Amino acid sequence: MNGSESMVHTLLNNDVSVCFANPGTSEMHFVSALDRLPQMRCVLGLFEGVVTGAADGYFRMAQKPAATLLHLGPGLGNGFANLHNARRARSGIVNIIGQHAHDHIAHDAPLTSDIEGIARPVSHWVRTCASSMTAPDDTAAAVQAASGPPARVASLILPADAAWGPSTAGGVQKLPQRPAPCPADTVIDAIAQLLRSKDHAPGSVALLLGGRAMRGLSPRLAGQIAARTGCKLLAETKNARSERGSGRVNIPQIPYPINGALETLKDIRLLVLVDAIKPVAFFAYPDKPRFLVHPDCRVETLATGDEDVETALAKLNDALGGVPSQVAYVSDGVSPAWSDGMPNSLDMGRALAALLPENAIVVDEAITTGRQLQSSAAAAKPHDWLEITGGSIGYGLPCATGAAVACPDRKVVAIIGDGSAMYTVQSLWTMAREGLDVTVVICANRKYQILSGELDAMGGPPASTNAQRMLSIGAPALDWVHLAQGHGVSATRVDTMAGFAKALENGLRSGGPNLIEVLL
Amino acid sequence: MNGSESMVHTLLNNDVSVCFANPGTSEMHFVSALDRLPQMRCVLGLFEGVVTGAADGYFRMAQKPAATLLHLGPGLGNGFANLHNARRARSGIVNIIGQHAHDHIAHDAPLTSDIEGIARPVSHWVRTCASSMTAPDDTAAAVQAASGPPARVASLILPADAAWGPSTAGGVQKLPQRPAPCPADTVIDAIAQLLRSKDHAPGSVALLLGGRAMRGLSPRLAGQIAARTGCKLLAETKNARSERGSGRVNIPQIPYPINGALETLKDIRLLVLVDAIKPVAFFAYPDKPRFLVHPDCRVETLATGDEDVETALAKLNDALGGVPSQVAYVSDGVSPAWSDGMPNSLDMGRALAALLPENAIVVDEAITTGRQLQSSAAAAKPHDWLEITGGSIGYGLPCATGAAVACPDRKVVAIIGDGSAMYTVQSLWTMAREGLDVTVVICANRKYQILSGELDAMGGPPASTNAQRMLSIGAPALDWVHLAQGHGVSATRVDTMAGFAKALENGLRSGGPNLIEVLL
């Protein structure tokens, strides 16, 4: 058994059973090992951003890490942006990154670069295999680092001699899962006391939920606390995975635009963080504050992302006097009907509310178009809603790919801005290759609308030639039907709400990858 | 005048007049400055690998740096692979990378990452603007670092407050160009003496040229030295830009496959490097040497890439006795005709030899298919031949884009493997947007042929399911006609040599971007 085989055995022994891959020559011994162990599902991406984004989407749904296989520094570089998004989603990923043989690195062959240096800004854990003998232990350590809690991005760099040299048989057995610690009772009691206080003005107290607090029992527990205490519930602006829909607690997000965020938080004087951070502006503006809460707002943490959020909420609920009969923020599943006419965000959300099948997974990267989608879709049947957590656009199509690999029995709907979709458009091919049940909705406004808005907000003269050349993507117009077909995905174009609704129904029924270009 | 405006003025003052861009919110003040200074030509890429690869191609042809505009760490990450290739091509590039305002970085907003850490492995020069007041000097220093000699990748990180804050008027005037130093006469004389020695066995002496030695007067000087001394001429395996074609000195490359490289170099006992490095294997193999020359080969350096290569060769020629009447390795422009039938590398090369117009720029990323193209095309009219220098595939379409921006009066032919083309397929849109005169030839073998060859060479069992899933890209087949049309580029598919030759003629005549999918 060589180092590569011992590594793949170790991955499989530790329940890492999917490898999103874009290998190169230095990884051929690892490819050969994968070839001899067909229990590992290998999924090819034609670009590394697809590979890393798919691993992110896979983790969000499977709650266990996949491996990636990347080709030296440049392969990792191509995967960097979606690893950034994954790090911000706190997704667990085991990156296997090829490297030259130890005795070849100093020779500065063309593909040589500082791989650890590239990996560090986007990885919580980085190690280079010392030899083929250490490879299985290194791999086990990477899986452990990636699995958490808290889940993390682990990057294991594999020199070719560690891949081809002799190793020990059998790899490492399954590592134990460590439970996340619960916050101290004193912390929970102190927050219960704050929430019970009569000193707060109406509407001045809120729980801010994020991360794992957006799924499982946590949203309902938060809804009970809100019903009992009258506090507001807020969600972070972007969340890795929120369980939403009819009959569930649907927590409104802090808006992305800074003015909306400041408005939402302006009256809050006590903010309790539940797997969330003190709200901070996505970007700095010359004349706006950096933090979004009022300077007089008291910010307390019930539980961090490293802690057992669900138990913390349950204990807080108990401390407040046990489970109440009321739950706030529950969607009753009633949605206004969409109106026919030109497609728009509000009506598309209402159509989603009507048409999303139970247990659907929605991957949302519609940016400006998408701002009303999530709240409208709260009336839909129960579903998961996945968002871009790191702000680096191009996460959506890969994330949908990985989510569909993780959940073959669920429908995935990916709603993506045309600008965003272009960064990782090669995902469409992987969807076709794997026959994934993904309906891609491209919101084609043919511009970087978010940037146009930012430029307008600066209050200077209207955009002239150079700004137009950098913010408009309409000349020439991308033809998404051709683009999809080029990747092996069937597609249609619509420019009315009736056309959209019909295409969405057809797409969901098709059972395979399909794309709808919505002209906005 | 704010920091951004002072920076754009400084760039323009120093003859940086093209900005390949993919901006985001943190770069809006810089975008606004570009908008007010239309002398800067802004070229949008829909993915950052297009942006950085285009800057590389631009430098290779314009011999002066372009700027890039990238969105924080993830934007730089997406551009990383082609910056790696540019670094290996020794292309000068001024990267402007947005960053949060200084007082916002510590707040760890979603897009925060260690940008300097990401930039360092791929940049010779990295600086973060301290303030808007230092912005013009920082920019001038970046241009100076990028311009060289030697030309280099310079990364200037621009915090938003340095972009929007007040700065000094006027920027910085044009910096002086420093000449590259010439190697010492003692070095040149010693090499002349070695070359004049009668002790060498026939065919055991070679000059190895690379970098800037592949263009200008250098190839002809080397051809004269070869004619006089009987030494061989060899070129590095991959070169940023080689001036080749009929009537010129066409220097054969060291082959990429390690066995061919070892065979080529096995009898050489004296190798003189001219802007080249001691030949090293692209990748390490368990049973092969790391260096490609025989262990007994003496390796001497005439001139490094930091030195004045052309003068060094001229002085060497003088030291050997003045300019001879003979020149070795000159192509007589005679090529066998191509044969009709299924397209193949040899006949495609012969068709290129017949059809390439004078002064064409060929961007070669055909990898396995391309191995016979360059030597066959030596019979074509004089042209430039650009290759992938860093080994990270995905350089070709962006490089062709940048070369066409640099040379609007020349025809560009980009010959790209289908696997390679997918990494940066978004380049097609920029070609359409800018109306660039590029004929893209996609060599569609529908697999990562180079990797299949490597796997076969390992001598294990035939590729099974997982290897096929990672090395074949034929299921589904990419439809390049649809892909091109989706990006706004007209396209055709051919499966015969006659069809290829006709499509190439039509494409070259069209004067705009077009794509030919060649089924192999």
Side-chain angles (χ1 to χ4, degrees):
Chain A
M1 177 174 292
N2 66 21
S4 301
E5 290 167 304
S6 75
M7 291 176 70
V8 180
H9 276 295
T10 304
L11 290 171
L12 289 167
N13 283 353
N14 287 286
D15 204 22
V16 178
S17 55
V18 173
C19 179
F20 296 101
N22 187 268
T25 297
S26 41
E27 292 78 58
M28 276 305 103
H29 290 268
F30 199 83
V31 166
S32 176
L34 290 166
D35 203 30
R36 287 193 288 281
L37 290 163
Q39 310 93 294
M40 181 69 78
R41 178 174 178 185
C42 294
V43 178
L44 179 64
L46 298 181
F47 166 68
E48 293 87 344
V50 178
V51 168
T52 54
D56 180 10
Y58 178 89
F59 181 88
R60 295 191 196 198
M61 295 314 303
Q63 291 299 298
K64 60 178 186 174
T68 70
L69 180 59
L70 302 168
H71 186 44
L72 296 104
L76 173 60
N78 276 338
F80 186 93
N82 274 333
L83 288 175
H84 173 89
N85 285 322
R87 182 168 70 95
R88 294 286 173 179
R90 287 193 258 130
S91 290
I93 297 178
V94 179
N95 295 313
I96 312 279
I97 305 152
Q99 166 63 302
H100 289 306
H102 281 95
D103 69 352
H104 199 49
I105 296 173
H107 301 157
D108 202 31
L111 270 159
T112 308
S113 61
D114 174 10
I115 305 181
E116 288 197 1
I118 307 162
R120 251 180 234 112
V122 83
S123 310
H124 301 90
W125 183 99
V126 177
R127 185 183 295 179
T128 298
C129 278
S131 80
S132 53
M133 295 305 292
T134 67
D137 283 351
D138 292 332
T139 307
V143 176
Q144 193 161 43
S147 302
R152 300 188 297 182
V153 176
S155 292
L156 180 58
I157 298 162
L158 176 60
D161 55 321
W164 74 51
S167 193
T168 53
V172 173
Q173 289 314 302
K174 190 166 173 54
L175 296 158
Q177 277 277 351
R178 292 165 299 167
C182 189
D185 286 348
T186 49
V187 169
I188 293 166
D189 290 343
I191 286 172
Q193 199 171 334
L194 283 171
L195 290 176
R196 270 195 304 258
S197 162
K198 307 289 182 212
D199 297 344
H200 309 296
S204 69
V205 177
L207 301 192
L208 176 62
L209 285 73
R212 282 170 303 124
M214 296 301 291
R215 55 182 193 267
L217 300 178
S218 294
R220 179 155 291 265
L221 291 163
Q224 290 167 348
I225 293 165
R228 176 189 304 279
T229 67
C231 74
K232 290 182 175 179
L233 298 184
L234 289 169
E236 289 194 303
T237 301
K238 299 292 179 189
N239 293 282
R241 177 182 169 193
S242 308
E243 290 177 353
R244 297 175 55 87
S246 173
R248 286 178 168 171
V249 171
N250 287 256
I251 306 172
Q253 302 163 289
I254 298 173
Y256 171 89
I258 188 161
N259 290 341
L262 292 168
E263 176 66 23
T264 298
L265 291 166
K266 74 178 191 315
D267 295 328
I268 303 296
R269 292 296 178 273
L270 171 63
L271 187 70
V272 176
L273 306 177
V274 192
D275 198 353
I277 64 164
K278 181 176 171 179
V280 60
F282 247 73
F283 294 103
Y285 297 86
D287 53 348
K288 311 263 189 217
R290 305 288 180 257
F291 285 106
L292 301 171
V293 287
H294 190 280
D296 296 338
C297 180
R298 178 172 179 177
V299 179
E300 296 290 339
T301 298
L302 174 69
T304 70
D306 297 355
E307 294 176 313
D308 181 345
V309 172
E310 210 167 84
T311 302
L313 282 165
K315 284 189 169 184
L316 178 62
N317 215 348
D318 289 347
L320 288 166
V323 174
S325 55
Q326 298 296 310
V327 187
Y329 291 89
V330 174
S331 163
D332 60 7
V334 176
S335 169
W338 50 267
S339 318
D340 197 13
M342 276 187 58
N344 62 78
S345 178
L346 186 63
D347 280 311
M348 286 173 70
R350 289 170 174 173
L352 281 179
L355 297 174
L356 268 189
E358 182 145 5
N359 230 8
I361 300 163
V362 179
V363 176
D364 171 9
E365 196 182 23
I367 314 293
T368 47
T369 308
R371 285 191 181 143
Q372 291 180 284
L373 291 181
Q374 194 197 64
S375 56
S376 303
K381 297 189 182 74
H383 58 270
D384 284 85
W385 196 279
L386 279 51
E387 292 177 298
I388 180 169
T389 47
S392 177
I393 60 174
Y395 108 100
L397 291 177
C399 184
T401 303
V405 169
C407 301
D409 299 332
R410 299 175 67 171
K411 300 278 179 194
V412 178
V413 178
I415 310 173
I416 319 283
D418 50 356
S420 301
M422 281 305 294
Y423 289 79
T424 45
V425 63
Q426 307 91 338
S427 310
L428 295 172
W429 182 84
T430 302
M431 293 178 188
R433 165 86 139 202
E434 303 291 325
L436 302 178
D437 193 352
V438 183
T439 297
V440 175
V441 178
I442 299 290
C443 301
N445 62 10
R446 298 177 176 169
K447 51 190 161 183
Y448 292 139
Q449 175 58 37
I450 192 166
L451 300 185
S452 294
E454 297 280 356
L455 194 69
D456 291 347
M458 283 167 52
S464 184
T465 309
N466 266 341
Q468 290 290 350
R469 286 174 61 82
M470 288 185 283
L471 307 187
S472 158
I473 63 171
L478 293 159
D479 180 327
W480 281 95
V481 174
H482 278 312
L483 288 175
Q485 289 171 348
H487 288 95
V489 170
S490 65
T492 188
R493 181 178 299 117
V494 301
D495 58 4
T496 64
M497 274 306 304
F500 170 64
K502 188 164 169 15
L504 185 58
E505 278 189 285
N506 289 343
L508 288 165
R509 207 164 31 223
S510 74
N514 63 94
L515 181 142
I516 307 165
E517 179 180 6
V518 184
L519 298 183
L520 296 171
Chain B
M1 178 173 294
N2 66 20
S4 301
E5 290 166 304
S6 75
M7 290 175 70
V8 180
H9 277 294
T10 303
L11 290 171
L12 289 166
N13 284 353
N14 286 287
D15 205 20
V16 178
S17 55
V18 173
C19 179
F20 297 100
N22 187 268
T25 297
S26 40
E27 292 78 59
M28 276 306 102
H29 290 269
F30 199 83
V31 166
S32 176
L34 290 167
D35 203 29
R36 286 192 288 281
L37 290 163
Q39 310 94 294
M40 182 69 77
R41 177 173 179 185
C42 295
V43 178
L44 179 63
L46 298 182
F47 166 68
E48 293 89 343
V50 178
V51 168
T52 54
D56 180 11
Y58 177 90
F59 180 88
R60 295 191 196 198
M61 296 313 303
Q63 290 299 299
K64 62 178 185 175
T68 69
L69 180 58
L70 303 168
H71 186 44
L72 298 103
L76 174 60
N78 276 338
F80 186 92
N82 274 333
L83 288 176
H84 173 89
N85 286 323
R87 183 168 70 95
R88 293 288 175 177
R90 287 192 258 128
S91 290
I93 297 177
V94 178
N95 295 312
I96 312 279
I97 305 152
Q99 167 64 302
H100 290 305
H102 281 95
D103 70 352
H104 199 48
I105 296 173
H107 300 158
D108 203 30
L111 270 159
T112 309
S113 59
D114 174 9
I115 305 180
E116 289 198 0
I118 307 162
R120 252 181 233 111
V122 84
S123 310
H124 301 90
W125 184 98
V126 178
R127 186 183 294 180
T128 298
C129 278
S131 81
S132 52
M133 293 307 290
T134 67
D137 283 351
D138 293 332
T139 307
V143 175
Q144 193 161 41
S147 301
R152 302 188 295 183
V153 176
S155 292
L156 180 59
I157 299 162
L158 176 60
D161 55 320
W164 75 51
S167 193
T168 53
V172 173
Q173 289 314 302
K174 191 166 172 54
L175 296 158
Q177 276 278 350
R178 291 166 299 166
C182 189
D185 287 347
T186 49
V187 170
I188 292 166
D189 291 341
I191 287 171
Q193 199 171 334
L194 283 171
L195 291 177
R196 269 195 304 259
S197 162
K198 306 289 182 212
D199 298 344
H200 309 296
S204 69
V205 177
L207 300 193
L208 176 63
L209 284 73
R212 282 170 303 125
M214 297 301 291
R215 57 183 191 268
L217 300 178
S218 295
R220 179 155 292 264
L221 291 164
Q224 290 168 347
I225 293 166
R228 176 190 304 279
T229 67
C231 75
K232 290 182 174 178
L233 298 184
L234 290 169
E236 288 194 303
T237 301
K238 299 292 178 189
N239 293 281
R241 176 182 171 194
S242 310
E243 290 177 353
R244 297 175 57 85
S246 173
R248 286 179 168 170
V249 170
N250 287 256
I251 305 172
Q253 301 163 289
I254 298 174
Y256 171 89
I258 187 162
N259 290 342
L262 291 168
E263 176 66 24
T264 298
L265 292 166
K266 73 178 191 314
D267 295 328
I268 304 296
R269 292 294 178 277
L270 171 62
L271 188 69
V272 176
L273 306 178
V274 192
D275 199 352
I277 64 164
K278 181 177 171 179
V280 60
F282 247 73
F283 294 103
Y285 298 85
D287 53 349
K288 312 262 191 220
R290 304 291 179 255
F291 284 106
L292 300 171
V293 287
H294 190 280
D296 296 339
C297 180
R298 179 171 178 177
V299 179
E300 295 290 339
T301 298
L302 174 69
T304 69
D306 296 356
E307 293 174 314
D308 181 345
V309 173
E310 211 167 81
T311 302
L313 281 166
K315 285 189 170 184
L316 178 60
N317 214 349
D318 289 345
L320 289 167
V323 175
S325 56
Q326 297 297 310
V327 187
Y329 292 89
V330 175
S331 165
D332 60 6
V334 175
S335 169
W338 52 266
S339 319
D340 197 13
M342 278 187 58
N344 62 78
S345 177
L346 187 63
D347 281 310
M348 287 172 70
R350 289 171 174 172
L352 281 180
L355 298 174
L356 268 189
E358 182 143 7
N359 230 9
I361 300 164
V362 179
V363 176
D364 171 10
E365 196 182 23
I367 315 293
T368 49
T369 308
R371 286 192 181 144
Q372 292 180 284
L373 290 181
Q374 194 196 65
S375 56
S376 304
K381 297 189 181 78
H383 59 270
D384 285 86
W385 195 279
L386 279 50
E387 293 177 295
I388 179 171
T389 47
S392 178
I393 59 175
Y395 107 100
L397 292 177
C399 185
T401 304
V405 169
C407 300
D409 299 330
R410 298 175 67 172
K411 300 278 177 192
V412 179
V413 178
I415 310 173
I416 319 282
D418 50 357
S420 300
M422 282 305 293
Y423 288 79
T424 45
V425 63
Q426 306 91 339
S427 310
L428 296 171
W429 182 84
T430 301
M431 292 179 190
R433 165 86 138 201
E434 302 291 325
L436 302 178
D437 192 352
V438 183
T439 297
V440 176
V441 178
I442 299 290
C443 302
N445 62 10
R446 296 177 176 169
K447 51 191 163 183
Y448 291 138
Q449 174 60 36
I450 193 167
L451 300 185
S452 295
E454 297 280 355
L455 194 69
D456 291 347
M458 283 166 53
S464 185
T465 309
N466 265 343
Q468 290 290 350
R469 285 174 62 81
M470 287 184 283
L471 306 188
S472 160
I473 64 171
L478 292 159
D479 181 327
W480 281 95
V481 174
H482 278 311
L483 287 175
Q485 290 171 347
H487 289 94
V489 170
S490 66
T492 186
R493 181 179 297 117
V494 300
D495 58 5
T496 63
M497 275 304 305
F500 169 64
K502 187 163 171 11
L504 185 57
E505 278 189 285
N506 289 342
L508 288 166
R509 204 162 35 220
S510 74
N514 62 95
L515 181 144
I516 307 165
E517 178 179 8
V518 183
L519 298 183
L520 297 171

